[in-house]
């Protein structure tokens, strides 16, 4: 049982904040060599990130493994220009391509089993971008020679109203960052009240694949066809571009297709 199995609750709790959306729009305006008319999310969930851009008139494409997420995304995107695919992030198959921008802000690439799978994913995204197109990719960058078992709260929501009824709140914690195993263990706690079909308490742990700074550079070089434009520090005020350096943590990298 996982939060990702409750698309409406997930969308309610993890919809991006307006200030972050505006900041991302500023990044697009800065790095893209023209207007953004189309956007791809290879791990779209219930279209939480695509919705705000679709509402601005941008054609959006979303891909996800879970039928329930695609169904919820279809419901939300119905008034707008869109294409949704049920499938693996390593095997994208959109008909209307190429895209100007691809986005993946929640480190979803870390759900892939190894670096070879990450390379296949990056290749698939590259092939769906036009020359000069951008990929905004959230990753975890850890270096060092020992694991950190100190819990750290990554995100904690207030109780929020679920549109179909009830309240929900969520907390994400990092409970172990292990650079030797290239892994981060995440603990999630979901609390609900009056949400039909959803448990009142749900706890889960899962592991995200992480990379060291040089390992990520090597991955991008191995895939080829991308230039690394910027590395924004997501845990720093103002989310500045400080470049890629060892143990830089949770970042959004900006890749441009050559």
């Amino acid at each position: 049982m996982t939060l990702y199995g409750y698309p409406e609750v997930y969308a309610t709790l993890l919809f991006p904040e307006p200030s972050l959306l505006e900041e991302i729009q500023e990044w697009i305006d800065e790095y893209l060599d023209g207007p953004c008319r189309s956007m791809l999310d290879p791990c779209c969930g219930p279209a939480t990130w695509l919705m705000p851009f679709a509402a601005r008139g941008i054609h959006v494409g979303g891909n996800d493994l879970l039928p329930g997420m695609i169904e919820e995304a279809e419901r939300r995107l119905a008034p707008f220009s869109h294409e949704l695919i049920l499938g693996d992030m390593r095997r994208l198959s959109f008909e209307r391509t190429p895209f100007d921008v691809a986005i993946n802000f929640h480190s979803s690439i870390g759900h892939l089993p190894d670096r070879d799978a990450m390379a296949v994913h990056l290749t698939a995204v590259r092939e769906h971008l036009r020359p000069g197109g951008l990929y905004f990719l959230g990753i975890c960058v850890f270096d060092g020679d020992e694991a950190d078992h100190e819990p750290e709260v990554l995100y904690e929501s207030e109780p929020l109203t679920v549109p179909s009824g009830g309240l929900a709140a969520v907390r994400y914690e990092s409970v172990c960052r292990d650079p030797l195993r290239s892994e981060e263990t995440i603990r999630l706690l979901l609390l609900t009240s009056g949400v039909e079909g959803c448990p009142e308490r749900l706890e889960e742990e899962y592991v995200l694949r992480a990379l060291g700074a040089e390992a990520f550079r090597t991955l991008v070089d191995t895939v080829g066809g991308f230039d690394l434009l910027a590395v924004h520090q997501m845990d720093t005020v103002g989310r500045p571009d400080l470049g890629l350096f060892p143990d830089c943590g949770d970042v959004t990298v900006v890749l441009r297709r050559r």
Side-chain angles (χ1 to χ4, degrees):
M1 191 177 296
T2 171
L3 171 58
Y4 210 66
Y6 301 93
E8 185 186 31
V9 176
Y10 181 96
T12 300
L13 294 171
L14 297 176
F15 197 85
E17 296 180 1
S19 60
L20 178 56
L21 285 168
E22 291 308 311
E23 197 162 353
I24 290 166
Q25 183 62 59
E26 291 175 3
W27 295 349
I28 292 172
D29 294 341
E30 177 180 356
Y31 299 122
L32 190 63
D33 61 354
C36 179
R37 298 189 177 94
S38 59
M39 179 177 288
L40 161 67
D41 186 341
C43 318
C44 70
T48 46
W49 282 96
L50 291 178
M51 267 290 297
F53 294 98
R56 298 176 185 182
I58 294 173
H59 170 76
V60 298
N63 176 88
D64 203 272
L65 267 177
L66 290 190
M69 284 297 187
I70 291 296
E71 291 171 7
E72 182 68 12
E74 181 64 50
R75 185 184 69 80
R76 291 169 173 270
L77 292 172
F80 310 112
S81 175
H82 70 280
E83 180 184 359
L84 294 172
I85 302 293
L86 178 65
D88 192 300
M89 73 172 87
R90 292 168 286 184
R91 292 182 289 274
L92 304 175
S93 57
F94 290 93
E95 294 182 0
R96 182 172 168 179
T97 58
F99 291 89
D100 295 313
V101 170
I103 58 172
N104 182 359
F105 291 108
H106 285 313
S107 300
S108 297
I109 193 173
H111 289 290
L112 293 173
D114 52 40
R115 294 178 191 177
D116 288 343
M118 291 180 176
V120 174
H121 165 69
L122 288 176
T123 300
V125 172
R126 185 195 65 204
E127 294 308 305
H128 279 72
L129 287 172
R130 67 166 175 83
L134 304 175
Y135 188 15
F136 293 90
L137 174 63
I139 60 170
C140 303
V141 178
F142 306 136
D143 293 272
D145 54 10
E146 61 182 28
D148 180 1
H149 294 278
E150 185 69 27
E152 177 186 354
V153 176
L154 303 176
Y155 173 71
E156 187 167 17
S157 77
E158 298 178 351
L160 299 175
T161 300
V162 178
S164 64
L167 297 172
V170 70
R171 183 176 71 224
Y172 285 85
E173 291 180 296
S174 173
V175 295
C176 179
R177 296 184 173 189
D178 189 342
L180 297 179
R181 296 173 62 90
S182 299
E183 293 178 351
E184 179 178 24
T185 302
I186 305 295
R187 179 186 297 146
L188 180 155
L189 172 62
L190 171 69
L191 300 175
T192 73
S193 176
V195 180
E196 186 176 356
C198 187
E200 292 186 350
R201 183 183 181 93
L202 188 157
E203 296 183 69
E204 60 174 304
E205 283 192 2
Y206 57 90
V207 174
L208 289 176
R209 183 69 53 190
L211 291 170
E214 286 308 309
F216 180 72
R217 287 188 190 276
T218 299
L219 175 65
V220 173
D221 289 343
T222 300
V223 170
F226 279 120
D227 293 316
L228 178 60
L229 295 187
V231 182
H232 289 273
Q233 307 296 311
M234 302 305 287
D235 294 332
T236 303
V237 175
R239 302 182 182 91
D241 170 21
L242 299 180
L244 185 65
F245 57 88
D247 210 29
C248 57
D250 296 323
V251 298
T252 294
V253 300
V254 186
L255 302 174
R256 180 175 59 198
R257 183 182 176 180
R258 295 177 191 148

